[in-house]
Amino acid sequence: MNTITVIGSINLDRTIRVKQMPKPGETMHTKEIFSAGGGKGANQAVAAKRSEAVTNFIGAIGNDEAGEMMRELLSEEGIELAGVQTLEKQATGQAYIIVDDQGENSIMIHSGANNAFTPKQVQAHADLIKASDFVVAQFESTLESTIEAFTIAREAGVKTILNPAPALENVPEELLKVTDMIIPNETETEILTGIKVTDEASLKAAADHLHQLGIEAVIITIGSKGAFYDVQDRNGIVPAFKVNAVDTTAAGDTFIGAMSSVLKKDFSNLEQAIEYGNQASSLTVQRFGAQPSIPYKNELK
């Protein structure tokens, strides 16, 4: 059983379901409105925990109703929250999500406390990082804190997994130097490498570019087609499961959390781990909401 420490974002998601996306200036009636747990970091932690990994979290919430709700939800999952700080002068992160009948979404995020915790807080929970098999991070919280966490992990022989989302134009070199595995989607890959992903040759070229930055393992998620991987001397595409998607929110997060729960530290079972991640995310997209849609291990059997 893997031990995963996630460093990153905790958001309260407010989802609005509509028939089609509104055009600028358009007013429309909604089909449904609901709140649920979200944030890329929290989603990935929930996915890892529901796949039975021992899961720790390092992040922050505000001293408000949304923060209280998120602490309670993550605590009910059995995620270790010693590393989650309550910040007095910050609001808890929140996301406003519009989902249409085709399952496409549009998301607006207020980062709040996610962008206010510091490397000092990470140092205070270095023991959680050192006792992990993998440390997972995204770009919805402070980069300085992520660099600190990955540096501690690298020195302790703990593998680091970076999900470079939402995409950033300039990713600090010092972060890439301490990243063992990177998991971008097609858009993020193009921003990171300058290579437009169109076929397997361009996927391989993008992966080679990322290897040159010092990253050992590359997984590029390619939506309904599945995931391309390149590690050591192995590469290829692990196809996605064909399902009827109703809401793609948290699909990528589910993939990363579930995959990291079964991945071996030497990446020797990467293909099998990707297939497991694909299976988990194929269930997520058939349900509404972020965390409510993430499957448990027994559902994947």
Side-chain angles (χ1 to χ4, degrees):
M1 191 193 298
N2 281 346
T3 298
I4 313 289
T5 295
V6 179
I7 174 161
S9 56
I10 299 172
N11 291 336
L12 181 64
D13 284 357
R14 302 188 188 277
T15 301
I16 300 165
R17 286 185 58 209
V18 293
K19 191 177 175 189
Q20 74 265 337
M21 289 292 172
K23 295 179 184 74
E26 183 181 6
T27 300
M28 63 167 59
H29 287 284
T30 65
K31 296 172 73 169
E32 186 186 4
I33 187 162
F34 60 90
S35 295
K40 282 189 163 301
N43 296 343
Q44 289 167 12
V46 168
K49 184 65 189 174
R50 289 185 184 174
S51 277
E52 297 176 8
V54 175
T55 310
N56 308 307
F57 203 95
I58 296 174
I61 51 175
N63 186 12
D64 51 25
E65 198 183 335
E68 215 171 288
M69 189 172 163
M70 286 310 302
R71 190 179 280 278
E72 207 171 296
L73 284 172
L74 295 175
S75 181
E76 281 169 9
E77 294 287 341
I79 295 165
E80 173 53 64
L81 301 177
V84 176
Q85 198 175 3
T86 301
L87 302 176
E88 290 300 325
K89 293 179 180 173
Q90 295 289 337
T92 298
Q94 295 197 41
Y96 297 85
I97 303 165
I98 302 171
V99 182
D100 70 12
D101 280 356
Q102 278 65 54
E104 291 300 324
N105 61 33
S106 178
I107 305 174
M108 291 143 287
I109 294 171
H110 175 73
S111 296
N114 295 319
N115 263 343
F117 69 93
T118 63
K120 205 171 173 181
Q121 186 194 330
V122 174
Q123 288 157 9
H125 298 286
D127 55 332
L128 291 179
I129 294 168
K130 289 173 184 173
S132 304
D133 295 297
F134 295 98
V135 173
V136 180
Q138 338 70 38
F139 285 162
E140 281 187 349
S141 56
T142 56
L143 283 176
E144 297 81 7
S145 298
T146 300
I147 292 166
E148 185 63 35
F150 275 25
T151 304
I152 293 166
R154 175 59 66 92
E155 285 166 3
V158 174
K159 293 286 186 181
T160 57
I161 299 176
L162 180 65
N163 172 216
L168 282 184
E169 289 287 345
N170 297 306
V171 180
E173 205 176 297
E174 55 187 319
L175 176 58
L176 297 173
K177 274 183 186 162
V178 285
T179 297
D180 294 305
M181 173 183 276
I182 194 163
I183 311 179
N185 64 18
E186 293 152 291
T187 309
E188 291 145 11
T189 299
E190 189 177 345
I191 289 167
L192 280 166
T193 66
I195 296 165
K196 189 170 176 62
V197 171
T198 53
D199 54 14
E200 208 159 336
S202 55
L203 284 163
K204 178 74 178 108
D208 288 344
H209 181 98
L210 293 165
H211 289 314
Q212 281 160 17
L213 300 172
I215 299 166
E216 183 186 353
V218 176
I219 298 174
I220 300 171
T221 57
I222 43 180
S224 60
K225 293 193 279 291
F228 172 84
Y229 67 92
D230 194 299
V231 64
Q232 292 136 10
D233 294 322
R234 316 189 318 270
N235 63 67
I237 291 173
V238 179
F241 292 81
K242 296 280 177 272
V243 295
N244 181 27
V246 297
D247 180 3
T248 56
T249 312
D253 299 330
T254 300
F255 171 79
I256 290 164
M259 186 209 62
S260 63
S261 74
V262 298
L263 186 62
K264 289 180 180 168
K265 284 183 77 172
D266 62 0
F267 304 137
S268 60
N269 69 334
L270 184 60
E271 295 88 340
Q272 293 87 345
I274 290 172
E275 185 161 353
Y276 180 80
N278 281 349
Q279 200 179 351
S281 62
S282 75
L283 285 178
T284 296
V285 299
Q286 294 180 73
R287 306 163 176 175
F288 288 103
Q291 285 162 27
S293 69
I294 297 170
Y296 291 85
K297 188 166 196 157
N298 62 2
E299 295 178 76
L300 301 179
K301 289 172 183 170

